Amino acid sequence: CGFSIADSDCAMAGRERRRLLPALLPLLPVDNRVLLPGSSMVVHVNDPRGMNLVETQLWNEENWKGKYVGVVPRHGKEEKLHTLGTAASVSQMTAWSHPRPHFSLLLVGLCRFRINEIKRETPFPIAAVSQLDYLHSKDEPVPTEVRKLADEFRASADELVDLLDLKNPSTVKLKRLLDSLPDHNLPDLFTSILRSSFQEKLEVLDSVDLSERFKAVQPLLLRQIATMKLLQKATNSALDPTLATKRMPASFRIVRPGGRGNAGTTPTSTDESDEISELEQRISSADLPEHALRAAQKEMKRLRSLPPQFPEYAVSRNYLDTLLDLPWSKSTEDRIDLGQAREDLDADHYGLGKVKKRVLEFLAIKQLKNSLKGPILCFVGAPGVGKTSVGRSIAKTLGRKFYRMSLGGGCDQSDIRGHRRTYIGSMPGRIIQGLKTVGTNNPVFLLDEVDKLHKSLQGDPAAALLEVLDPEQNSTFTDHYLNIPFDLSRVLFIATANTSSTIPPPLLDRMEVIEVPGYTQEEKVQIALRHLLPKQLEQHGLTSDHLKLPPETIARIAGSYTREAGVRNLERVVGSVCRAIAVKVAEGQGGRLEDEGQAVEKSASPIVVTEDMLEELLGPRRYEHELSERLTRPGVAVGLAWTAMGGEILFVEASRMPGTGELTLTGQLGDVMKESARIALNWLRSCASLYRLSCDHLDSTDIHIHFPAGAVGKDGPSAGVTIVTVLASLFSGRCVRSDTAMTGEVTLRGMVLPVSGQHSCYHRRGLLLCSYRR
């Protein structure tokens, strides 16, 4: 307990006792603080208006000690000034420049005043005020009706001072000040000394009547005395140090660090015991396997011995919560109805026959043998072909929960196995967290983008997945955080990837790879009509009464405005058409759009978007069918190139000219493709007579083979058969069919090795035949 008034401040206050305030007083607001008459307070001024007040009224004035400042409490959040304040004189003033310019003022309270009117706000507030009281001298008598209250208050004040340490110089100074202080000033002084709230100090400030002031401060003084007595009992009790704490009010109790001690009777400890009882009930009611039950009981025993203030307490509590939230024995019952499953898969997805066949096989075997371990399926295909949605449909068909975990860009094995509890902020891996989220131990777990995992200093997450995706090992999967086995054998894992070439071989060996081919144009039209168009109509607030998209229009959109294996861009373009029609509908227009920007007739019939209207709605075509135009002369052929996006066509051009027998290759080709070109030329030269090719005088003829789109790098052996066809067309003078594309690696004996992966490429380009010779 300390106090804030000095002897010099009392002397200054004594000289200012009966001086009247000026009619206009500059105001200095203070946030959530109260200055009372007879006490002092240090105020740091750094706001613009306060700085202006100090600079103009105090800092630049020689007689600044004779200036008065009105200190007004202000509620921090509301920024509203209190109606009453305290007039103060400046005892000391200091200017600072670090960390930012500000002033420090030592203010001594003189008297109360009431704000009648704010005269101005800038550059600093000035108000018209009326004085309410003044500082009294020692000789002034207290009114008779207040004498009893003053005597009781002084007796309580003397009792409080006697409880303080008399060896402290501040206590000696306070005792001397109490003997010389008038009774009128006792409430204000002790309010500033006692520990009280901002609201309690405001009540004392508002108590202009002296008797009301004594009544407001007396409870604060008695509360402080009771606190000091209880603290002394707790300190001096040698026989039972917990006795005093048990009798203390909750707000005064002391908790000894480093042990539990008397914390057993505090509200915090009561809550703690309730938490421990709740955890014990959860452990007893949870159907935990034997090894998990032993781990929970061991951790519970450790938790009971830890004080709640220790960091280890929170670690143990979080571990138990995680352990009890896991679905050790909770599972969903599979709904196996092959007929219904076939209908659901057909309704959710068009095409994908191979994928549907494999899912139905799994369901059939599951129906015949209930103990079948879940296979690890891996759907490999271009983006947008429906790999993730197939996994969701499988979960819906089986009646299981579905959880998707994206692995793209993962480079930390702790994402799979979790962190050990020795690390700060440790948590389980994403496998365990996913099971905790779904609440069952047999969900359909989708591992998305498994081909995009990377190694780093934190380990290899692909290697951590080996145990997860191995049916022979995942029944005892051990997460580093749990440190006990968890059975994953009932989980149906499904992985997705754009390509299997970047998946590590050991991980790929544990999965059953199912190729998901791209969609043909006919399949895209059906998908758009069945799924994409209804979805976009709903998202844009339209119905089939507003918009009609004929199949031929969707086919034109798929062929001229998108070029992909999946249907994501097709959905975006269909959405663009819906937005354009939504504008027409919102403007109250309907009927059929006309070409060349003609007016639209108002009608209640839906807007039918035809092929001729697409350029008006979507702009010029993005892709043109140029096969027939580019294949009108010998020496040009079309090849098929495999890509992770579903494949692309590749034009190959060749020409001959007089020269020295050189072979020139352009188009940013790799070494493998250059070797394929040399093999193709040498094989044709060896078989020229068989195919009646004019390969004479090649020693004096230069041959130039070019692959257009030279800015794009190209490599691989699959262009060999295309180069052979180009050179054969060039030497024979005959054109290659415009509806034929080819792919395959050619050998020096003329054999062509097949390459897969271009199922949808030649379909969406209008090619009818993909030829290679085995």
Side-chain angles (χ1 to χ4, degrees):
C1 179
F3 57 95
S4 306
I5 189 168
D7 294 338
S8 60
D9 300 335
C10 290
M12 177 178 294
R15 293 193 299 268
E16 303 287 347
R17 292 186 194 279
R18 294 219 178 233
R19 182 173 295 183
L20 297 178
L21 294 178
L24 298 178
L25 191 65
L27 302 182
L28 180 64
V30 291
D31 293 334
N32 300 323
R33 300 176 66 189
V34 179
L35 175 65
L36 294 171
S39 62
S40 63
M41 183 173 64
V42 177
V43 177
H44 300 285
V45 181
N46 53 20
D47 60 289
R49 293 197 295 179
M51 297 281 286
N52 291 333
L53 169 63
V54 175
E55 290 175 354
T56 58
Q57 299 292 315
L58 301 175
W59 187 257
N60 296 327
E61 298 289 336
E62 294 182 359
N63 58 342
W64 56 270
K65 289 191 176 182
K67 297 284 184 178
Y68 296 107
V69 177
V71 181
V72 184
R74 179 173 59 187
H75 299 271
K77 294 182 179 180
E78 301 177 1
E79 296 188 357
K80 180 181 179 181
L81 296 180
H82 198 63
T83 55
L84 268 66
T86 302
S89 61
V90 182
S91 175
Q92 184 177 346
M93 181 169 50
T94 308
W96 305 89
S97 59
H98 183 79
R100 59 177 180 174
H102 68 280
F103 292 97
S104 295
L105 306 180
L106 178 59
L107 303 176
V108 179
L110 301 177
C111 63
R112 290 173 173 81
F113 67 86
R114 185 185 304 277
I115 299 177
N116 298 326
E117 183 184 0
I118 302 293
K119 293 296 184 179
R120 73 178 189 188
E121 293 284 352
T122 56
F124 53 86
I126 294 181
V129 300
S130 56
Q131 185 174 346
L132 300 178
D133 62 2
Y134 58 90
L135 291 177
H136 297 264
S137 64
K138 178 71 173 176
D139 301 332
E140 293 185 55
V142 176
T144 306
E145 62 273 12
V146 187
R147 168 52 55 193
K148 183 178 180 181
L149 294 174
D151 292 342
E152 292 178 358
F153 192 93
R154 185 175 287 275
S156 300
D158 291 336
E159 183 181 1
L160 177 64
V161 173
D162 292 339
L163 292 174
L164 299 176
D165 185 8
L166 296 179
K167 297 180 181 179
N168 193 327
S170 298
T171 305
V172 177
K173 187 180 295 186
L174 176 61
K175 187 174 182 61
R176 186 173 63 247
L177 180 64
L178 182 61
D179 295 336
S180 61
L181 199 65
D183 292 338
H184 302 76
N185 301 335
L186 285 176
D188 290 334
L189 174 65
F190 273 87
T191 303
S192 62
I193 292 175
L194 301 175
R195 177 172 296 179
S196 55
S197 65
F198 174 66
Q199 190 63 35
E200 291 171 340
K201 291 181 179 179
L202 281 181
E203 293 178 1
V204 176
L205 179 64
D206 293 341
S207 301
V208 180
D209 183 72
L210 183 58
S211 61
E212 296 295 330
R213 207 180 309 159
F214 274 116
K215 293 177 182 178
V217 183
Q218 182 73 14
L220 306 181
L221 186 59
L222 295 177
R223 184 179 67 187
Q224 189 68 37
I225 292 174
T227 303
M228 297 299 298
K229 289 181 178 180
L230 288 174
L231 288 175
Q232 284 188 354
K233 288 182 180 180
T235 304
N236 299 329
S237 179
L239 297 177
D240 189 3
T242 65
L243 181 61
T245 305
K246 289 181 180 179
R247 294 177 180 174
M248 280 186 182
S251 58
F252 300 141
R253 289 176 185 166
I254 302 174
V255 178
R256 298 198 310 270
R260 302 183 69 86
N262 53 13
T265 59
T266 63
T268 303
S269 299
T270 304
D271 295 340
E272 174 205 342
S273 61
D274 292 342
E275 291 179 0
I276 292 179
S277 301
E278 180 185 353
L279 285 174
E280 291 175 344
Q281 292 178 1
R282 291 178 60 187
I283 292 175
S284 60
S285 60
D287 189 10
L288 299 178
E290 184 178 356
H291 64 282
L293 181 61
R294 287 197 303 267
Q297 292 174 345
K298 180 180 178 181
E299 196 67 27
M300 194 69 221
K301 181 179 179 181
R302 181 171 181 266
L303 185 68
R304 293 193 194 95
S305 63
L306 290 174
Q309 296 84 12
F310 278 29
E312 290 83 357
Y313 183 90
V315 173
S316 296
R317 174 62 195 270
N318 293 336
Y319 176 80
L320 284 172
D321 285 337
T322 302
L323 195 68
L324 296 174
D325 289 340
L326 287 177
W328 296 94
S329 56
K330 298 178 183 178
S331 59
T332 56
E333 185 177 355
D334 291 339
R335 299 194 306 262
I336 303 177
D337 186 347
L338 295 182
Q340 186 63 37
R342 190 187 304 273
E343 293 179 4
D344 292 342
L345 291 174
D346 290 339
D348 293 340
H349 298 86
Y350 185 84
L352 303 180
K354 186 177 180 180
V355 177
K356 295 177 183 178
K357 177 184 176 183
R358 182 62 186 89
V359 173
L360 292 174
E361 289 173 353
F362 166 75
L363 294 178
I365 300 175
K366 178 72 174 177
Q367 183 176 356
L368 297 176
K369 185 179 180 181
N370 194 32
S371 61
L372 175 67
K373 292 184 178 180
I376 312 300
L377 305 179
C378 181
F379 298 142
V380 178
V385 296
K387 301 183 297 295
T388 303
S389 60
V390 168
R392 188 174 285 106
S393 296
I394 294 175
K396 176 183 175 183
T397 302
L398 289 172
R400 296 189 180 188
K401 296 290 185 68
F402 177 78
Y403 186 81
R404 173 183 171 272
M405 185 175 78
S406 178
L407 299 176
C411 57
D412 189 353
Q413 70 162 352
S414 298
D415 288 345
I416 309 299
R417 288 188 170 274
H419 303 266
R420 299 188 185 277
R421 284 195 291 158
T422 54
Y423 298 104
I424 298 176
S426 58
M427 62 181 64
R430 297 176 64 186
I431 301 290
I432 297 297
Q433 289 182 8
L435 294 173
K436 178 181 174 181
T437 300
V438 297
T440 61
N441 60 7
N442 64 337
V444 175
F445 212 101
L446 184 73
L447 304 175
D448 209 3
E449 309 292 350
V450 75
D451 59 325
K452 297 177 178 59
L453 293 171
H454 305 284
K455 292 182 180 180
S456 69
L457 296 176
Q458 286 75 32
D460 186 3
L465 279 176
L466 294 178
E467 181 183 2
V468 176
L469 300 182
D470 192 340
E472 301 298 329
Q473 300 181 25
N474 59 12
S475 59
T476 57
F477 171 73
T478 303
D479 186 273
H480 286 164
Y481 182 83
L482 294 179
N483 204 28
I484 56 176
F486 190 93
D487 187 6
L488 299 179
S489 61
R490 302 190 63 187
V491 179
L492 176 58
F493 286 101
I494 298 176
T496 67
N498 295 133
T499 174
S500 59
S501 60
T502 57
I503 302 176
L507 181 60
L508 188 63
D509 181 63
R510 283 164 168 77
M511 299 185 294
E512 179 182 347
V513 177
I514 300 176
E515 296 284 347
V516 182
Y519 297 111
T520 64
Q521 184 148 310
E522 292 78 10
E523 291 174 338
K524 289 184 179 181
V525 171
Q526 293 299 322
I527 292 172
L529 290 174
R530 299 184 183 189
H531 304 285
L532 305 184
L533 182 58
K535 177 181 176 182
Q536 290 299 319
L537 289 176
E538 181 181 358
Q539 289 183 356
H540 293 86
L542 300 174
T543 64
S544 57
D545 296 333
H546 297 120
L547 171 63
K548 294 285 187 183
L549 271 182
E552 57 272 12
T553 304
I554 297 178
R556 174 62 64 88
I557 293 175
S560 300
Y561 292 91
T562 65
R563 183 167 289 180
E564 56 174 347
V567 291
R568 285 181 182 167
N569 285 331
L570 178 60
E571 184 177 4
R572 295 189 187 102
V573 177
V574 172
S576 299
V577 174
C578 292
R579 287 191 294 272
I581 300 304
V583 175
K584 301 294 182 181
V585 173
E587 292 175 349
Q589 297 177 350
R592 179 184 178 89
L593 286 174
E594 302 293 341
D595 300 331
E596 304 299 335
Q598 297 179 5
V600 181
E601 297 180 1
K602 294 186 178 181
S603 174
S605 61
I607 299 176
V608 181
V609 180
T610 62
E611 298 182 46
D612 298 332
M613 295 157 48
L614 291 179
E615 290 195 10
E616 178 186 349
L617 298 176
L618 302 175
R621 298 180 183 180
R622 300 175 188 173
Y623 305 101
E624 296 289 344
H625 295 284
E626 53 185 357
L627 290 175
S628 59
E629 291 81 0
R630 298 185 66 168
L631 298 177
T632 56
R633 54 176 296 180
V636 182
V638 181
L640 292 174
W642 181 92
T643 67
M645 304 297 291
E648 274 293 340
I649 66 168
L650 193 70
F651 288 98
V652 183
E653 301 174 349
S655 63
R656 58 190 299 181
M657 65 209 76
T660 59
E662 294 184 358
L663 175 63
T664 304
L665 302 172
T666 56
Q668 198 174 342
L669 309 181
D671 293 336
V672 176
M673 193 169 285
K674 292 177 181 178
E675 294 174 356
S676 298
R678 294 189 180 93
I679 292 173
L681 179 60
N682 292 335
W683 180 78
L684 281 177
R685 292 178 64 181
S686 64
C687 302
S689 59
L690 178 63
Y691 294 101
R692 300 178 183 179
L693 302 177
S694 57
C695 295
D696 301 335
H697 311 293
L698 282 181
D699 294 338
S700 59
T701 302
D702 289 345
I703 299 176
H704 187 172
I705 301 177
H706 176 64
F707 291 77
V712 181
K714 310 171 190 68
D715 200 7
S718 61
V721 66
T722 309
I723 299 175
V724 170
T725 306
V726 166
L727 294 177
S729 173
L730 179 66
F731 295 150
S732 65
R734 291 179 292 178
C735 296
V736 180
R737 289 177 55 177
S738 61
D739 59 352
T740 303
M742 59 210 72
T743 180
E745 178 183 359
V746 68
T747 67
L748 197 58
R749 298 171 55 193
M751 302 297 295
V752 179
L753 306 180
V755 177
S756 62
Q758 296 86 13
H759 163 73
S760 64
C761 176
Y762 61 89
H763 275 286
R764 68 173 183 268
R765 290 304 187 87
L767 301 175
L768 303 178
L769 178 64
C770 179
S771 66
Y772 55 82
R773 182 161 56 89
R774 297 184 182 273

